[in-house]
Amino acid sequence: MTSTAALSGSTRYRLELAGVALTGLLAVAMAALLVVDWLRAYPLVAPVYEQLRLAGWLLDDVLGTNVFYHPFMWRSFATGVFVGVVAPLVGTYLVHREMALIGETLAHTAFAGVAIGLLFSATTSWSGSLLLVALVVGVLGALGVQWLAERTDTYGDVPIAIMLTGSFAVGTLIISYGRGLTGISIDNFLFGNLSIVTPSGARMMAVLSLIVVVAVLATYKQLLFITFDEQAARVARLNVTWYNTLLVVMTAIVVVGAMQILGVILVAAMLVVPVAAATQVSNSFRETLYLSILFGQLSIVGGFAFSISQSLPAGGSIVVVAIAIYLLAVLASGRSATALSMH
């Protein structure tokens, strides 16, 4: 009986690794697609670009859709694939540290950044990337949360709540002021919209995703240590402050990238829901990490499919699919809590 259970566990583990590997290959393919889209004006790349458009047209013909022929849809789907990898990857640490609210906080901070960028571009001749402004403001907000957490005696979630409400208040004031001057609108960033995924925004998400994955791989053991026993990590002379700062900065990076598709209101869902689903059916932290990435990717692909088939917003569709996966995981597990090992 024991050997059968061990064999079953080994098979499951290999399937999970295969799923993560396939997700990685999909992300690499999407990155390659963005490179082709970026360099399509060059003679050597132009034929490849045209073949990709032809493949998209054929896919539209088979599926009866009218989306895959258009390059903006490639960029949107590629961005979604990257979000499906890095959001659960970072979210796994946040959920197990009971910091799920930090994603919502940094989304509101990034909202303030977009508001600042919109107002600045509307009142000057500046035409730079709004996402870049949001990223800078989001990272500064992450550093601000960490600074407050290290230097105040309040409960751990108080600085997060202060930053959440404060940054959103600043954003709403800027937007209200800007509407009176120029009529600027931020609705697409609030609710998400595939049309705001620009070529530069998709490429930026690809680069940021690579940075996040490399950072997590390089600091996996240290982040694991502070996640499960921060006090012991301090006793062991680990630079806990630096790793906490790294985690919140990575969260800010993920939030800004995901905001293009999910919007400020829904972006935190991809940090939390796939991880919650994985926690229900996993037996270790590493397995939770693998499954959360798989569930995140299923949420993205399923959400896009549902969105296209029903002509509904992609952000809401992705979150609904993620919640459906979570409910299935709860039913499949048949347990209310999971005792995780640190392996």
Side-chain angles (χ1 to χ4, degrees), residues 12-13 19 35 37 39 66 84-85 94-95 100 103 110 141 149 186 195 250 292 343:
R12 170 175 160 169
Y13 184 69
V35 170
D37 180 48
L39 303 177
N66 186 30
V85 173
L94 297 178
V95 168
I186 201 169
S195 65
M250 287 194 298
S292 65
H343 300 293

Side-chain angles (χ1 to χ4, degrees), residues 59-76:
L59 188 59
D60 277 332
D61 187 53
V62 171
L63 298 177
T65 58
N66 186 30
V67 293
F68 295 105
Y69 178 75
H70 305 288
F72 87 89
M73 195 64 192
W74 306 352
R75 302 178 198 120
S76 301

Side-chain angles (χ1 to χ4, degrees), residues 256-323:
V256 171
M259 188 172 63
Q260 301 175 83
I261 293 176
L262 296 167
V264 170
I265 295 174
L266 297 176
V267 69
M270 282 303 291
L271 290 165
V272 176
V273 182
V275 181
T279 303
Q280 284 293 322
V281 295
S282 62
N283 298 308
S284 69
F285 182 84
R286 187 184 295 272
E287 188 178 19
T288 301
L289 206 59
Y290 293 159
L291 287 176
S292 65
I293 292 172
L294 294 178
F295 291 158
Q297 207 56 241
L298 285 173
S299 301
I300 293 292
V301 175
F304 266 93
F306 185 69
S307 169
I308 293 168
S309 65
Q310 302 299 317
S311 299
L312 293 171
S317 299
I318 290 168
V319 173
V320 166
V321 171
I323 292 173

